[in-house]
């Protein structure tokens, strides 16, 4: 995969992707243990995951990333994704990823998953990681360090259906176990709207220092919010607010796709 890194980095440059702080990767990720980079939000399509993966590769890592099983079934794209680190988001594959050593000791996941695809707003950021604890349990079993990462800009790359239509597609997606929704990109195409992407890194969580999963999960949610608040001005969103699913949301205008 390193042989095609120069080509992959063109995508990261197109999105002007960066980690925040820019020295965060060298400071946080080491070679001696497993790491989980748990990022949010998913957005309609997680371009931010791909950009974070490319920049980690540039630092010498060969990250794994977990995604919907349907990705691996794609005729050509599936093989390419597997080549650069994709694994289906199953518990058994997660275990295998956490058992790998450097340079594959970093695994990228999107805990909010499909739920976050239907929580996209133009005015606020919404995360569903507060509803997910399974990844924390597996991290604890392996003594992995969890690194919260907020994907700035990832929610604004596409416009998706909201309101009753969006909720209907969310129910359908859960039944099919893959994402289905009405959307549009730049000028009504599949291309994403122009947006810079950044991954704001939060304080790492050494799961070996905690006795129970709920305590780790509470710390993760708190550290993700802190990462958002700490880096949002640097990204260019000084006044934007992060809201977790279940918290009070301001009224929104429905996107009439």
């Amino acid at each position: 995969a390193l042989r095609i890194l120069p080509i992959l980095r063109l995508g990261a440059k197109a999105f002007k992707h960066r980690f925040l702080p820019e020295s965060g990767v060298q400071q946080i990720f080491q070679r001696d243990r497993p790491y989980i980079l748990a990022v949010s939000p998913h957005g309609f399509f997680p371009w931010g995951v791909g950009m974070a993966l490319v920049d980690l590769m540039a630092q010498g890592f060969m990250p794994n990333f977990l995604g919907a099983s349907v990705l691996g079934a794609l005729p050509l794209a599936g093989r390419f994704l597997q080549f650069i680190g994709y694994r289906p988001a199953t518990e058994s594959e997660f275990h295998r990823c956490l058992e790998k050593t450097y340079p594959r000791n970093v695994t990228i996941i999107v805990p909010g998953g499909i739920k976050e695809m239907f929580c996209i707003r133009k005015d606020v950021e919404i995360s569903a990681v507060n509803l997910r604890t399974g990844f924390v349990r597996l991290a604890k079993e392996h003594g992995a360090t969890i690194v919260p990462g907020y994907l700035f800009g990832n929610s604004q790359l596409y416009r998706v259906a909201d309101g009753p239509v969006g909720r209907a597609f969310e129910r359908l997606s859960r039944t099919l176990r893959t994402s289905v929704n009405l959307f549009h990109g730049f000028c009504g195409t599949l291309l994403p709207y122009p947006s810079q992407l950044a991954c704001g890194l939060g304080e790492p969580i050494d799961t070996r220092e905690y006795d129970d999963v709920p305590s780790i999960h509470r710390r993760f949610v708190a550290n993700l919010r802190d990462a958002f608040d700490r880096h949002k001005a640097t990204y260019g969103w000084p006044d934007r607010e992060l809201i977790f699913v279940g918290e009070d949301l301001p009224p929104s205008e429905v996107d009439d796709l």
Side-chain angles (χ1 to χ4, degrees):
L2 289 177
R3 293 194 298 271
I4 63 172
L5 180 58
I7 299 175
L8 296 176
R9 294 199 72 181
L10 292 176
K13 289 181 180 179
F15 285 109
K16 298 181 180 180
H17 180 267
R18 55 185 168 147
F19 279 102
L20 299 174
E22 295 191 22
S23 60
V25 172
Q26 298 94 328
Q27 294 175 350
I28 292 174
F29 298 99
Q30 304 299 317
R31 301 184 178 189
D32 60 342
R33 53 182 315 190
Y35 288 85
I36 299 172
L37 175 56
V39 299
S40 178
H42 184 287
F44 179 76
F45 186 84
W47 285 106
V49 172
M51 302 306 102
L53 180 141
V54 170
D55 280 354
L56 281 168
M57 290 173 66
Q59 298 291 334
F61 294 94
M62 293 292 291
N64 320 289
F65 67 97
L66 301 183
S69 300
V70 69
L71 294 177
L74 298 175
L76 296 177
R79 290 193 176 187
F80 173 74
L81 291 174
Q82 291 170 17
F83 178 67
I84 62 173
Y86 159 78
R87 297 294 179 270
T90 64
E91 185 168 330
S92 60
E93 285 291 346
F94 202 173
H95 276 296
R96 277 192 279 272
C97 288
L98 294 178
E99 291 168 354
K100 295 181 180 181
T101 57
Y102 177 83
R104 294 196 175 276
N105 62 318
V106 178
T107 300
I108 305 174
I109 65 170
V110 190
I114 289 177
K115 177 68 175 178
E116 290 180 344
M117 296 181 62
F118 298 91
C119 297
I120 297 174
R121 291 265 298 261
K122 297 178 182 179
D123 56 336
V124 297
E125 295 291 289
I126 304 174
S127 174
V129 299
N130 57 317
L131 306 179
R132 309 287 193 247
T133 60
F135 74 100
V136 177
R137 174 178 57 82
L138 295 181
K140 176 64 176 172
E141 289 180 16
H142 288 267
T145 292
I146 303 175
V147 181
Y150 198 85
L151 298 180
F152 288 97
N154 205 53
S155 64
Q156 303 304 301
L157 298 175
Y158 294 96
R159 300 289 180 261
V160 299
D162 199 351
V165 174
R167 289 192 290 273
F169 275 101
E170 181 178 5
R171 291 192 294 270
L172 177 61
S173 297
R174 292 186 180 281
T175 300
L176 299 177
R177 300 184 65 84
T178 190
S179 56
V180 181
N181 199 3
L182 297 177
F183 76 99
H184 63 80
F186 181 65
C187 291
T189 69
L190 300 179
L191 296 174
Y193 281 93
S195 179
Q196 294 186 19
L197 297 179
C199 182
L201 298 175
E203 188 70 24
I205 303 164
D206 187 343
T207 60
R208 299 172 300 183
E209 298 177 355
Y210 292 79
D211 295 327
D212 61 276
V213 168
S215 296
I216 300 172
H217 185 250
R218 286 193 296 271
R219 175 51 53 190
F220 169 75
V221 174
N223 287 10
L224 182 67
R225 187 190 293 276
D226 178 70
F228 177 84
D229 290 337
R230 183 153 30 100
H231 299 303
K232 65 181 183 179
T234 302
Y235 174 72
W237 283 351
D239 301 320
R240 201 168 177 86
E241 185 180 2
L242 170 62
I243 298 175
F244 290 100
V245 171
E247 297 177 343
D248 292 337
L249 275 168
S252 69
E253 295 183 4
V254 175
D255 191 335
D256 57 354
L257 279 174

